[in-house]
Amino acid sequence: MFQNSALAPQEFMQRMADDLMDSYDEELELEVDDRFIEEIGSRPAVDNEARRSYFRNLFRLQGELVKLQDWVQQSREKVVILFEGRDAAGKGGVIKRITQRLNPRVARVAALPAPNDRERTQWYFQRYVSHLPAAGEIVLFDRSWYNRAGVERVMGFCTEDEYEEFFRSVPEFEKMLVRSGIRLIKYWFSITDEEQHLRFLGRIHDPLKQWKLSPMDLQSRVRWEEYTKAKEAMLERTHIPEAPWWVVPADDKKKARLNCISHLLSQIPYADVPHDEVVLPERVRHPDYIRQPVPLEMIVPQTY
């Protein structure tokens, strides 16, 4: 288990335990809000004040994201956010926190599978275009057209000509999106070799996370340096004024989430949208209405 790890066995096991506890906090985030932060139970060997600070800041930022959502709807803006990075860098975690309390009809996630035979014959950007937002929508791409500059390049899924054509096309494609009125924001999540190693081991030993490990993920360990070269080329050749790259240091997952959300909010000039006061109407009752009983065979068994 400790092979290729620079950490001592005891420190390594503590890191693994901390990562497991962080997973538990992910579920807690959905169950509590800022009124109950002080009631969060303590954990051994954990800085509980830092943990409470994380929850306070997360809930505050998520409140701002709701304001951003309202502004996007009211102003009929179109927002696209790309999330790229190493496998296990935490892209999915921050996407979950951004969308956690938003309306899925306004903010949706596009996580495309590998292209099928028909899609492989299309214009490369075609299958991504269909997921772009209409007015009043936010789309978060969990990986994007930059697959060609990363996994397709490293794993040999595209030709040299296709790779070079991608770099010729993508700046023009993104400029076209921006000219059409789309706000395009691109994030790269950066983690160290050691941190990725620890996160992969955490997935291997956690039955609830093993589904996150694919053969491609395992190859990313073997081809770490090739992925590094591909990333460096991608950032150099596609960092344009109209759609610059933003790099998120992500070895600390919780800090990465907060920093990314805070930065995202700073990139969009949203403002509070006034709402009419919501008044709950009285329930209308009709004396001649009789509610019919539900047949017992239709009731879900009350096992719990």
Side-chain angles (χ1 to χ4, degrees), residues 156-301:
F157 295 155
C158 65
T159 66
E160 189 68 26
D161 287 344
E162 289 171 331
Y163 177 70
E164 288 301 324
E165 178 57 34
F166 171 79
F167 281 127
R168 284 191 292 269
S169 299
V170 74
E172 296 306 316
F173 174 67
E174 292 180 352
K175 289 175 185 178
M176 182 172 60
L177 295 182
V178 173
R179 285 197 304 270
S180 76
I182 290 176
R183 294 181 182 271
L184 177 59
I185 304 169
K186 304 186 301 194
Y187 288 112
W188 174 269
F189 279 68
S190 177
I191 56 172
T192 60
D193 185 349
E194 181 68 26
E195 184 63 26
Q196 188 190 57
H197 177 67
L198 289 169
R199 292 184 188 181
F200 276 3
L201 287 176
R203 292 179 178 185
I204 289 171
H205 295 285
D206 184 347
L208 298 180
K209 290 185 175 181
Q210 285 179 3
W211 65 269
K212 293 184 176 183
L213 273 178
S214 69
M216 292 298 167
D217 295 336
L218 299 177
Q219 278 297 310
S220 70
R221 292 299 299 156
V222 177
R223 303 172 188 243
W224 174 275
E225 292 181 1
E226 294 174 63
Y227 271 102
T228 299
K229 293 175 184 177
K231 175 205 72 174
E232 291 169 349
M234 182 192 78
L235 295 182
E236 180 183 355
R237 300 180 70 174
T238 61
H239 180 68
I240 59 176
E242 295 83 354
W245 279 103
W246 299 99
V247 177
V248 181
D251 274 4
D252 186 315
K253 289 191 287 189
K254 289 184 175 178
K255 288 182 179 179
R257 295 166 194 159
L258 299 180
N259 290 329
C260 182
I261 296 172
S262 177
H263 181 269
L264 171 62
L265 291 166
S266 75
Q267 296 301 296
I268 302 175
Y270 70 98
D272 283 332
V273 175
H275 293 281
D276 295 334
E277 182 181 357
V278 178
V279 178
L280 187 65
E282 290 291 330
R283 153 85 149 85
V284 176
R285 299 178 185 275
H286 297 90
D288 58 341
Y289 168 72
I290 300 175
R291 181 177 179 180
Q292 300 300 311
V294 177
L296 291 177
E297 63 269 19
M298 294 176 62
I299 302 294
V300 172

Side-chain angles (χ1 to χ4, degrees), residues 4-18:
N4 300 325
S5 175
L7 301 177
Q10 185 175 1
E11 185 181 359
F12 176 85
M13 293 305 296
Q14 183 60 53
R15 289 287 300 277
M16 296 289 288
D18 290 344

